[in-house]
Amino acid sequence: MNILVTGGLGFIGSHTVVELLSAGHTPIIVDNLVNSKLEVLNRIQKITGVRPAFTELDVADEAALDKVFEKQPIDAVIHFAGLKAVGESVGKPLEYYSNNLCSTLTLLRCMKKHGTKNLIFSSSATVYGVPPSLPIKEEFPLGETTNPYGTSKAMIERILTDFSKANPDFNIALLRYFNPIGAHASGELGEDPNGIPNNLMPYITQVAVGRRDHLTVFGDDYETPDGTCVRDYIHVVDLAIGHVMTLKKLMENPGLVIYNLGTGKGSSVFEVLAAFEKGTGVKIPYVVGPRRAGDLPFLYANCDKAYKELGYKATRTVEDACRDAYAFQKKNPNGIQ
């Protein structure tokens, strides 16, 4: 099938493009290169032997996006494009709401115009806010989100839910990610953030290769086994495979579906550091700083629904992800150039 992948040169998008190609699909990438690099296209070709079609554009640019739909029939869309830094969103709420919501509305109009009726949306566990209990289940209500990034994801979920009710012939999947980490085993693709990393793993790997002096652990006095926050870390390749499996489900069962994509297990910051040392032989220097506003002690998924309905289960460990992420960073010490 022809699959339009918005934001297809980003961290999760690029890994998903590789898995789509592996499954025999034809990905068509659009990306505005704000959070990604054109070189990723060469890396995808190096891994797969195929150079996917690519157009540089902003998904909110309806005229430009319309031309992509006019070029070839599109069977489904996987929508990754969007601004994604939690901290930045607090300081730039208008940019986040404008970019993330407008691009989705534009995409839906183009899909409807051209008869493309299958959509997978890249959502986030942030939509749950403070969950009523753990592990987190899909039927939990959307919570009080703690930042504009998370709120934009919750708003888009509501838009897609309303759109699905008004257009019952559309098939929509909302995939709520937990904490993606790791990299492609080749070392060609991985997490390559602009500036100071917002996420734990790229910060660790940058310390490991000498780009940064040490890691700051935000609080060690939480009510967790070792005092540090516990999160559900999923290998990015497992996450990418989840999109391919969801695509198959959409073709078989119309309507709107929601799945958590995680491992169902939580790891603390100190446990991740221990896994990194075990997997790579590198000990990461760290200092303990104050708690970060909005951080919750525990967040991890119940993944039973994805297993039952998709046959999906993450198979790679945190140690695997640490090893792969470090291999990518060693191969690309200054990021993808």
Side-chain angles (χ1 to χ4, degrees), residues 102-138:
C102 290
S103 61
T104 303
L105 293 170
T106 299
L107 177 63
L108 288 173
R109 284 193 294 269
C110 284
M111 289 179 67
K112 193 168 183 180
K113 176 181 176 181
H114 293 277
T116 302
K117 298 183 178 181
N118 301 292
L119 172 66
I120 296 174
F121 173 58
S122 164
S123 192
S124 165
T126 57
V127 301
Y128 292 111
V130 180
S133 63
L134 292 165
I136 297 170
K137 299 180 179 179
E138 287 91 347

Side-chain angles (χ1 to χ4, degrees), residues 57-200:
L57 61 78
D58 190 316
V59 179
D61 184 341
E62 193 159 346
L65 187 62
D66 194 58
K67 290 178 182 176
V68 175
F69 277 87
E70 287 174 350
K71 283 182 183 177
Q72 65 275 298
I74 303 230
D75 300 296
V77 177
I78 304 179
H79 183 31
F80 293 106
L83 298 176
K84 61 177 185 175
V86 169
E88 182 184 63
S89 76
V90 175
K92 298 181 177 180
L94 294 184
E95 287 90 334
Y96 271 69
Y97 291 129
S98 177
N99 182 87
N100 293 359
L101 271 65
C102 290
S103 61
T104 303
L105 293 170
T106 299
L107 177 63
L108 288 173
R109 284 193 294 269
C110 284
M111 289 179 67
K112 193 168 183 180
K113 176 181 176 181
H114 293 277
T116 302
K117 298 183 178 181
N118 301 292
L119 172 66
I120 296 174
F121 173 58
S122 164
S123 192
S124 165
T126 57
V127 301
Y128 292 111
V130 180
S133 63
L134 292 165
I136 297 170
K137 299 180 179 179
E138 287 91 347
E139 58 264 31
F140 285 1
L142 297 189
E144 194 67 37
T145 50
T146 58
N147 55 77
Y149 162 75
T151 306
S152 75
K153 291 290 188 182
M155 287 177 168
I156 292 169
E157 284 204 10
R158 180 57 188 265
I159 289 168
L160 293 175
T161 300
D162 290 343
F163 182 83
S164 176
K165 290 175 182 176
N167 298 273
D169 55 337
F170 272 71
N171 310 319
I172 298 174
L174 310 178
L175 299 187
R176 294 172 178 167
Y177 310 158
F178 279 70
N179 292 67
I181 58 173
H184 193 269
S186 66
E188 296 293 341
L189 296 176
E191 192 167 6
D192 185 26
N194 295 327
I196 299 172
N198 289 289
N199 298 328
L200 177 63

